[in-house]
Amino acid sequence: MTEMVHDTIEVEAPLREVYDQWTQFEEFPRFMDGVEEVRQLDDRLCHWRTKIAGATREFDTEIVDQLPDERIAWRTVGGDVKQKGVVTFERVDDAHTRVQLSMEVEPSGITERAAKALGVLENRIEGDLRRFKHYIEEREHATGGWRGRLRPGDSAGGSTPADPATPTDDIPPYGMATPPSEDMPRRDGPPYDRPM
């Protein structure tokens, strides 16, 4: 049985800075609990290594929809970890941004089912957003950024499932907004093959 969780936080930083920092996936271990490594394989795929409640997992995620300054949606591909989610970004004013993270996770194994019963995932997401807020606010600027557009129909797995990771109605479904220009720059920040 899947578990759906979401949380929202307001960050004291401009929308562009907040979005740009979130696109730096290899920085996630600096503020995400249990994430030991994220390797950017290409614009769409990342390889993750996590250790949560004593269980180590390695898996790949695919970005299925990415619209600058609005949202990034992903899903796992292959492996025994099953999750999908979306993070949305909303301008509050010139100096504040609202970030909402929603995930749908299918616990596998006794440890993860026990963690679900204890509300561990909700606490982790809340803590991750709080640490992300401190991470970007202390820096006062993003460590990099990628402004490219990734569309659901172009995903490596073919068509996007009809039921996207939008556990609440107030999160826009994939592909709803008008896409920006196709002439977007490539992702800044560390090269994909950088040794960790």
Side-chain angles (χ1 to χ4, degrees):
M1 183 177 204
T2 60
E3 178 178 11
M4 298 172 80
V5 294
H6 68 277
D7 203 352
T8 304
I9 198 163
E10 189 170 298
V11 178
E12 189 176 346
L15 172 63
R16 184 180 181 114
E17 295 292 327
V18 174
Y19 173 85
D20 282 353
Q21 185 59 60
W22 197 278
T23 67
Q24 301 307 290
F25 306 122
E26 291 187 351
E27 299 281 320
F28 281 7
R30 296 180 183 268
F31 58 85
M32 286 191 172
D33 187 34
V35 177
E36 294 189 332
E37 179 187 25
V38 179
R39 277 186 292 120
Q40 184 85 40
L41 304 177
D42 60 29
D43 287 344
R44 197 176 283 275
L45 295 172
C46 289
H47 182 78
W48 293 64
R49 188 177 73 240
T50 63
K51 188 170 186 179
I52 299 169
T56 300
R57 299 263 195 265
E58 292 201 36
F59 56 93
D60 293 335
T61 56
E62 174 192 24
I63 304 298
V64 294
D65 188 14
Q66 184 166 343
L67 181 61
D69 298 334
E70 287 194 23
R71 67 180 170 272
I72 301 171
W74 75 94
R75 64 181 169 196
T76 52
V77 290
D80 61 350
V81 174
K82 306 266 190 267
Q83 66 171 245
K84 57 184 175 177
V86 62
V87 58
T88 60
F89 307 88
E90 178 186 352
R91 179 187 178 277
V92 176
D93 58 36
D94 287 347
H96 296 86
T97 304
R98 185 172 297 114
V99 180
Q100 182 172 11
L101 177 60
S102 299
M103 290 178 62
E104 184 178 322
V105 178
E106 186 177 319
S108 62
I110 294 170
T111 303
E112 291 175 3
R113 284 194 290 274
K116 175 186 175 187
L118 296 171
V120 171
L121 184 58
E122 292 95 335
N123 292 336
R124 223 179 78 226
I125 287 177
E126 180 184 347
D128 289 347
L129 285 178
R130 193 171 54 250
R131 286 184 293 274
F132 173 73
K133 170 183 169 71
H134 295 307
Y135 186 74
I136 186 69
E137 287 178 354
E138 288 174 4
R139 279 176 167 57
E140 298 180 1
H141 60 82
T143 60
W146 188 66
R147 313 292 299 169
R149 172 71 167 119
L150 298 175
R151 291 180 177 79
D154 299 332
S155 68
S159 61
T160 301
D163 179 26
T166 53
T168 58
D169 291 336
D170 57 340
I171 301 172
Y174 305 157
M176 290 298 289
T178 304
S181 167
E182 295 293 332
D183 300 322
M184 293 293 185
R186 295 216 18 103
R187 193 177 304 273
D188 294 336
Y192 300 139
D193 56 357
R194 174 176 67 90
M196 295 301 284

